[in-house]
Amino acid sequence: MGRKASHVALECALQSHPNMLIMGEEVALSKLTLMEVINKICDGVQARAELGKHHGVLLIPEGLIESIPEMYALIQEISILHNNNVPVTEIPTQVSPWAAALFQFLPPFIRRELLLHQESDNSAQLSQIDTEQLLAHLVEAEMIKRTKEGRYKGKKFSSVCHFFGYQARGSLPSNFDCDYAYVLGHISLHMIAAGLTGYMATVANLKDPVHKWRCAAAPLTAMMSVRRHLRGPGAIPIGKPAIHPSPIDLKGKAYELLREKASSFLLDDFYRTPGGIQFEGPGSDAKPITLTIEDQDYMGDIEMLKLYLDKVKTIVKPGCSRDTLKAAISSMISVTHVLTVMSHPLNAELPLYHFN
């Protein structure tokens, strides 16, 4: 789960140690094609087979298929035709030639799922697209090809796929989940008492004990941006405000930890079963690994920024030198330009980590 962002997949990988994790953020920025992703998986299968290991676990996020450039473009074309009320049976004949070729290349079950009507926000029904089945189908075909060419001499490849889309939603909350929910409710009560609307309750410093958590209310509009969509050739772009997902920080400590372990995860068997939720005893107060190893204080950083802005106001005031004023203006223009670029939602952030 997680749609375009791979936060859930990253946490699950750090908890369970699969042989390989393919994250959407890695694939999107590296602009890996579908077959390049398949070859990456096949290379892992082949490397393990050479060590006599004819088994393995691959973990992928729900939104991986939208991170593959040609699949994303195909989904967008289908989306435009849906919005133009083109009948489902006619969509395959009205996409562009390259999209039609890709569509025909895909297995029949994926074709049917790509043509499903969209979600309420005009996005594809990612949970209904069997991405894991698609990868398994194409990996098997590639491994058969490699066997015929003599490049692979291991056992015949076969796969068992699982989709864990809703199991987590139906499970019991952990002690951490309960504390987090109580604090969000407490913040919401104060927001209501203060007459705030259009705000979201937020909690930072979650890796620390509860009494050190930092509570705040963030306006939804501060997290929103307007992305313009074309409804067809020659159409006027339609702007729609939305809160775009925050992708995995591939410079963060959580991803660095995964990189350190990736090679050993691929070739060795360090599988781990965290076990069920416990409310007392060993492990009952465990927190998500991605929270505990990050060293970030969001609200503290906001306060630090305010402190520096106040210092600038103190230095640059009527009576300061002309050179000081020019330096401040030049610096603020540069900062504004940089922040404007960074504030635009991107499809990806950082390059793919290779498991070789």
Side-chain angles (χ1 to χ4, degrees), residues 131-190:
T131 307
E132 70 282 3
Q133 296 284 356
L134 171 63
L135 296 184
H137 175 85
L138 295 178
V139 167
E140 182 174 2
E142 175 62 21
M143 296 309 297
I144 292 173
K145 177 184 175 183
R146 294 188 181 195
T147 301
K148 291 180 179 179
E149 294 174 350
R151 291 187 291 153
Y152 174 69
K153 296 180 170 53
K155 294 183 179 179
K156 181 182 178 181
F157 177 83
S158 62
S159 61
V160 178
C161 297
H162 296 283
F163 173 70
F164 300 106
Y166 299 96
Q167 279 80 350
R169 293 182 182 181
S171 67
L172 292 171
S174 65
N175 285 336
F176 170 77
D177 297 330
C178 294
D179 291 340
Y180 188 44
Y182 292 146
V183 172
L184 290 176
H186 185 79
I187 299 170
S188 300
L189 175 62
H190 283 280

Side-chain angles (χ1 to χ4, degrees), residues 180 183-192 196-204 214-224 243-246 298-299:
Y180 188 44
V183 172
L184 290 176
H186 185 79
I187 299 170
S188 300
L189 175 62
H190 283 280
M191 287 162 53
I192 294 171
L196 298 179
T197 59
Y199 279 72
M200 183 176 74
T202 65
V203 189
R214 301 175 70 101
C215 305
L220 295 177
T221 52
M223 297 176 279
M224 299 177 77
I243 299 176
H244 296 283
S246 176
Y298 185 81
M299 295 309 299

Side-chain angles (χ1 to χ4, degrees), residues 26 250 254-263 351 353-354:
E26 299 171 322
L250 301 189
Y255 184 70
E256 286 182 4
L257 176 61
L258 181 68
R259 289 186 62 174
E260 292 173 3
K261 304 290 186 181
S263 296
Y353 171 67
H354 296 281

